[in-house]
Amino acid sequence: MITLASDFGSPYPAAMRGVVCSRTDARIEDIAHDFPRQDVRAAAFWLREVVPYFPPATHCVVVDPGVGTDRGAVVVEAGGHRLVAPDNGVVVPTARRLADGEKFAVWDLAYDDEALASSTFHGRDLFAPAAATVHDVEAVEDLERCSPTDEWVDLTFPEPDLGEAGATGEVLVVDDFGNAVTNVPGRVLNGRDAVTVDDQRVPVRDAYAERPAGDRLVTVGSHGNVELAVNQGRGDDAFGVEVGDAVDLAW
């Protein structure tokens, strides 16, 4: 199986699918093509939450603000999966989760930018063909274009500050429902009926519908992190936050 993920919207992913189909008989699945445009960190977060639910596969990921520059390309192998992506950290959190504490392998994927058909569409001309090749090869180290490397761009998420009186975190992403997903672990809400956010007490609930429509709540999302939410509304608007904003919770 080969999965495709990008911030391309439509119709660019269709060209990537065409390239893959012309080179391999592998089944193709789309993870998402509507990641926030050129937002490597947001894509890295969602990939970390989605990819582990797939059986071992080759994942072609293209969120690539540096396309056409001298940024590198990598193949990563972790937990039976292979990830093909720009060397900008976008697949590193996923690799760490797949590796589950073990070391994961990274190869530099060599390419000649001048030989590619386009300097602005490496998804079609570089990463899709590479994903097809990587999927079909027995071992990545057998590929002439791949060489092991210990020098690759890392990406980590900020750690929250957890204390006895509360927690300070950051909004990592906002999903399409408007839920503001923080980096604060959901376990801090265990046994609590409410927390203080912006000097106001906000109920802690297990489900959005446990509050009336339009009311604010704090909950734990499927990713295990604290969310600022509104039942049938947008938490980011109601709490006045956006990606990167600090979030202070007091018990």
Side-chain angles (χ1 to χ4, degrees):
M1 180 191 302
I2 295 175
T3 73
L4 303 178
S6 75
D7 58 352
F8 289 160
S10 178
Y12 297 109
M16 295 174 61
R17 290 178 66 92
V19 169
V20 173
C21 287
S22 70
R23 293 169 178 257
T24 179
D25 293 329
R27 172 182 167 188
I28 304 174
E29 295 290 343
D30 293 290
I31 290 179
H33 295 291
D34 57 355
F35 290 135
R37 298 294 169 83
Q38 301 184 334
D39 190 337
V40 173
R41 191 176 80 159
F45 175 85
W46 290 119
L47 288 165
R48 185 188 68 175
E49 300 305 315
V50 171
V51 168
Y53 289 96
F54 279 83
T58 295
H59 307 281
C60 179
V61 177
V62 190
V63 178
D64 191 15
V67 62
T69 69
D70 60 357
R71 68 94 181 87
V74 292
V75 177
V76 181
E77 194 163 40
H81 295 253
R82 293 171 177 175
L83 304 108
V84 181
D87 184 17
N88 59 14
V90 68
V91 296
V92 173
T94 300
R96 285 199 174 97
R97 180 158 292 182
L98 291 171
D100 194 23
E102 300 295 325
K103 186 176 181 180
F104 54 87
V106 183
W107 288 267
D108 178 72
L109 175 62
Y111 68 96
D112 181 0
D113 190 54
E114 294 184 358
L116 301 179
S118 170
S119 62
T120 63
F121 197 2
H122 284 188
R124 178 193 65 194
D125 299 337
L126 170 61
F127 295 110
T133 300
V134 167
H135 174 274
D136 288 348
V137 74
E138 184 70 22
V140 176
E141 52 265 32
D142 292 340
L143 296 175
E144 292 184 3
R145 293 168 56 198
C146 290
S147 55
T149 182
D150 292 324
E151 297 182 0
W152 37 269
V153 175
D154 198 359
L155 190 154
T156 58
F157 301 111
E159 293 292 332
D161 182 11
L162 307 180
E164 293 184 2
T168 298
E170 179 181 319
V171 177
L172 294 179
V173 295
V174 175
D175 68 18
D176 285 351
F177 291 98
N179 300 314
V181 181
T182 76
N183 62 338
V184 178
R187 66 177 183 274
V188 303
L189 300 182
N190 290 347
R192 304 188 190 281
D193 294 325
V195 296
T196 298
V197 185
D198 298 332
D199 298 323
Q200 294 186 14
R201 294 298 282 177
V202 180
V204 173
R205 296 293 184 266
D206 293 330
Y208 307 110
E210 291 180 2
R211 294 291 294 161
D215 278 15
R216 302 197 305 173
L217 66 140
V218 176
T219 190
V220 181
S222 60
H223 35 69
N225 291 4
V226 172
E227 283 185 359
L228 308 182
V230 170
N231 181 25
Q232 300 180 42
R234 295 193 63 89
D236 56 343
D237 291 341
F239 286 89
V241 295
E242 59 186 24
V243 173
D245 282 354
V247 174
D248 292 316
L249 307 176
W251 316 143

